[in-house]
């Protein structure tokens, strides 16, 4: 089996190299994204491994099929970047990693909250420069605060457990209730009540037509003044312009985001020597109470191990003509 791994970063290669000897798979690495004009690189490969920003549209799929590719192995959960109809028409199977580490994302959400609230990032810089003043570093106790969780699937449930551990009152909104969480004291409420009552709001629902811009002008109006808002789910859950207005009016006192609606051309890249043209992101970055990380919530050793081994197992199943456990159909 010849596998081409696209959008390869050094850490992807490190993990594939660590586990590949347990499998009969020959791997070639490409830094480039897989998209229509790089699809010709797939000549002589049986399978391609891709990530969130690769473009598996009809054109790419048709080209890689002509080159002989029979399997697309996504090393992520989402598959919104793959034209599944084109895959079917061209007899290409698609597999993914449905869950790697919910705790990794939930813990990162809490890291954003703690950093924004207790300003450890500012304290770190101050103390290193010999400034031991506490002025403007004041935070608030999370204990007994109301935390609202939108989406209580795998990640949201892990986040609820963490918030409970801090002694918070946890309110949740989901179209499906998790009884286990209810037994542990999480209270399901309407989205409106969650917005009205929460001191901290963390988003963990998927992006779809119902959840797009779930945070916009009208939902921000319902929130408590001084709310701390965190998004580690998908950028387009948030209307960035409306959130900027909310920050300017001080309705939103803190914003932590690991995802951003227009992240595609920015995140995962070193642009430190480039002119960034995204004015909305630059405006967000100018607020002292906004913390942005570039889609790193998943990025732990445990999650990378799970992503790599599940991807290799998915490919091995295909090679052995076995039932594909993680097929996307
Ligand atoms: P999941 O499928 O286990 O849970 C999603 C939950 O959202 C489900 O309980 C579902 O009922 C609920 N939901 C669906 N529609 C809803 C709606 N309209 N309103 C409220 N709740 C709704 O998914 P998960 O593994 O917990 O992942 C959640 C999201 O986290 C993913 O969709 C993905 O966007 C994001 N994610 C981010 C990273 C990262 O690195 N930042 C990594 C992995 C996943």
């Amino acid at each position: 089996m010849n596998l081409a791994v696209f959008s390869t970063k050094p850490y992807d290669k490190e993990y594939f190299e660590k586990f590949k000897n347990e499998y009969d798979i020959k791997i070639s690495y490409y830094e480039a994204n897989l998209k229509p004009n790089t699809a010709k690189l797939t000549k002589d490969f049986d399978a391609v491994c891709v990530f969130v920003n690769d473009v598996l549209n009809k054109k790419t799929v048709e080209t890689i099929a002509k080159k002989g590719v029979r399997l697309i192995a996504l090393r992520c959960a989402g598959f919104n970047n793959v034209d599944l109809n084109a895959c079917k028409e061209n007899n290409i199977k698609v597999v993914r990693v449905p869950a790697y580490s919910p705790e990794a994302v939930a813990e990162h959400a809490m890291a954003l909250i703690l950093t924004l609230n207790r300003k450890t990032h500012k304290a770190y810089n101050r103390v290193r420069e010999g400034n031991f003043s506490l002025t403007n570093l004041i935070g608030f106790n999370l204990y007994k605060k109301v935390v609202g969780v939108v989406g209580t699937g795998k990640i949201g449930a892990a986040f609820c457990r963490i918030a409970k551990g801090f002694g918070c009152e946890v309110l949740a909104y989901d179209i499906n209730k998790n009884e286990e969480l209810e037994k542990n004291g999480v209270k399901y409420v309407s989205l409106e009540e969650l917005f009205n009552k929460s001191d901290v709001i963390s988003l963990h629902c998927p992006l779809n037509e119902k959840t797009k811009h779930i945070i916009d002008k009208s939902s921000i109006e319902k929130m408590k003044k001084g709310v701390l808002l965190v998004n580690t789910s998908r950028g387009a859950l948030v209307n960035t312009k409306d959130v900027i207005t909310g920050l300017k009016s001080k309705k939103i006192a803190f914003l932590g985001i690991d995802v951003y609606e227009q992240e595609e051309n920015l995140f995962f890249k070193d642009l430190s020597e480039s002119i960034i043209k995204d004015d909305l992101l630059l405006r967000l970055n100018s607020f002292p109470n906004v913390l942005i990380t570039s889609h790193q919530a998943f990025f732990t050793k445990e999650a990378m191990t799970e992503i790599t081994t599940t991807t290799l197992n998915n490919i091995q199943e295909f090679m052995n003509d076995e039932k594909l456990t993680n097929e996307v159909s």
Side-chain angles (χ1 to χ4, degrees):
M1 168 66 83
N2 282 319
L3 171 70
V5 177
F6 282 86
S7 303
T8 309
K9 300 288 180 203
Y11 43 84
D12 295 312
K13 188 168 178 186
E14 182 191 329
Y15 274 80
F16 275 110
E17 289 296 298
K18 191 168 163 186
F19 292 104
K20 74 171 188 190
N21 292 340
E22 296 162 33
Y23 301 83
D24 191 16
I25 302 171
K26 188 165 173 277
I27 306 180
S28 301
Y29 300 97
Y30 293 97
E31 283 177 31
N33 287 3
L34 180 55
K35 52 189 174 187
N37 64 357
T38 55
K40 53 184 178 293
L41 292 170
T42 58
K43 186 175 178 305
D44 301 328
F45 289 103
D46 308 293
V48 293
C49 176
V50 295
F51 197 46
V52 289
N53 290 331
D54 291 286
V55 185
L56 281 301
N57 58 14
K58 196 170 192 303
K59 200 160 179 213
T60 307
V61 170
E62 282 172 353
T63 309
I64 65 174
K66 275 190 203 132
K67 299 285 174 197
V69 171
R70 292 171 294 130
L71 179 73
I72 295 170
L74 291 152
R75 54 181 189 280
C76 54
F79 46 86
N80 51 297
N81 53 339
V82 182
D83 184 333
L84 293 175
N85 286 331
C87 291
K88 205 171 168 193
E89 281 163 16
N90 287 279
N91 204 21
I92 291 182
K93 299 273 186 205
V94 181
V95 286
R96 67 176 182 138
V97 184
Y100 22 98
S101 175
E103 287 76 19
V105 182
E107 288 172 16
H108 190 77
M110 185 49 92
L112 292 176
I113 292 167
L114 290 172
T115 308
L116 280 164
N117 172 18
R118 304 307 300 267
K119 305 177 177 67
T120 41
H121 55 317
K122 295 185 183 185
Y124 173 83
N125 285 327
R126 275 194 195 183
V127 170
R128 283 177 77 91
E129 288 180 5
N131 176 357
F132 301 96
S133 154
L134 298 187
T135 305
N136 293 326
L137 291 186
I138 195 160
F140 60 84
N141 286 7
L142 278 174
Y143 180 65
K144 290 207 165 159
K145 288 292 180 300
V146 180
V147 173
V149 183
V150 182
T152 53
K154 293 178 283 296
I155 296 170
F159 181 79
C160 287
R161 290 190 287 271
I162 293 170
K164 274 289 185 194
F166 274 80
C168 301
E169 185 188 331
V170 181
L171 302 181
Y173 171 76
D174 196 308
I175 50 172
N176 303 302
K177 288 185 184 174
N178 175 334
E179 286 176 13
E180 201 57 41
L181 289 178
E182 279 185 308
K183 276 187 213 148
N184 291 321
V186 172
K187 191 178 164 206
Y188 281 92
V189 294
S190 68
L191 197 52
E192 176 141 352
E193 188 175 343
L194 186 148
F195 288 145
N196 284 167
K197 293 189 174 164
S198 300
D199 300 296
V200 173
I201 297 173
S202 194
L203 305 179
H204 299 290
C205 57
L207 174 65
N208 56 40
E209 63 283 356
K210 290 227 172 77
T211 59
K212 186 170 181 199
H213 292 178
I214 197 167
I215 303 299
D216 63 2
K217 189 170 178 281
S218 84
S219 52
I220 293 168
E221 268 164 17
K222 293 177 189 138
M223 292 177 196
K224 269 185 165 177
K225 187 167 167 65
V227 68
L228 188 160
L229 176 67
V230 174
N231 184 13
T232 54
S233 197
R234 280 293 177 265
L237 295 179
V238 168
N239 180 322
T240 308
K241 281 188 181 155
D242 291 352
V243 160
I244 287 174
T245 307
L247 284 160
K248 282 180 176 171
S249 72
K250 300 193 179 167
K251 182 82 180 232
I252 299 174
F254 306 92
L255 174 72
I257 53 170
D258 185 54
V259 286
Y260 169 61
E261 190 167 3
Q262 284 79 30
E263 71 179 51
E264 199 176 311
N265 297 319
L266 299 165
F267 286 12
F268 308 124
K269 294 176 186 163
D270 179 358
L271 301 175
S272 52
E273 297 301 319
S274 309
I275 305 295
I276 294 175
K277 293 181 184 142
D278 188 324
D279 291 344
L280 276 187
L281 184 91
L282 295 176
R283 182 66 184 102
L284 277 180
N285 236 348
S286 73
F287 289 99
N289 49 352
V290 171
L291 179 58
I292 306 172
T293 53
S294 60
H295 212 135
Q296 72 172 79
F298 75 98
F299 198 44
T300 64
K301 291 174 184 174
E302 291 79 3
M304 284 301 289
T305 300
E306 190 61 35
I307 288 169
T308 312
T309 54
T310 304
T311 299
L312 291 169
N313 284 334
N314 287 343
I315 297 168
Q316 186 83 47
E317 283 180 354
F318 177 80
M319 271 166 59
N320 297 348
D321 231 355
E322 292 167 16
K323 184 179 178 315
L324 299 177
T325 317
N326 297 314
E327 180 169 9
V328 185
S329 49

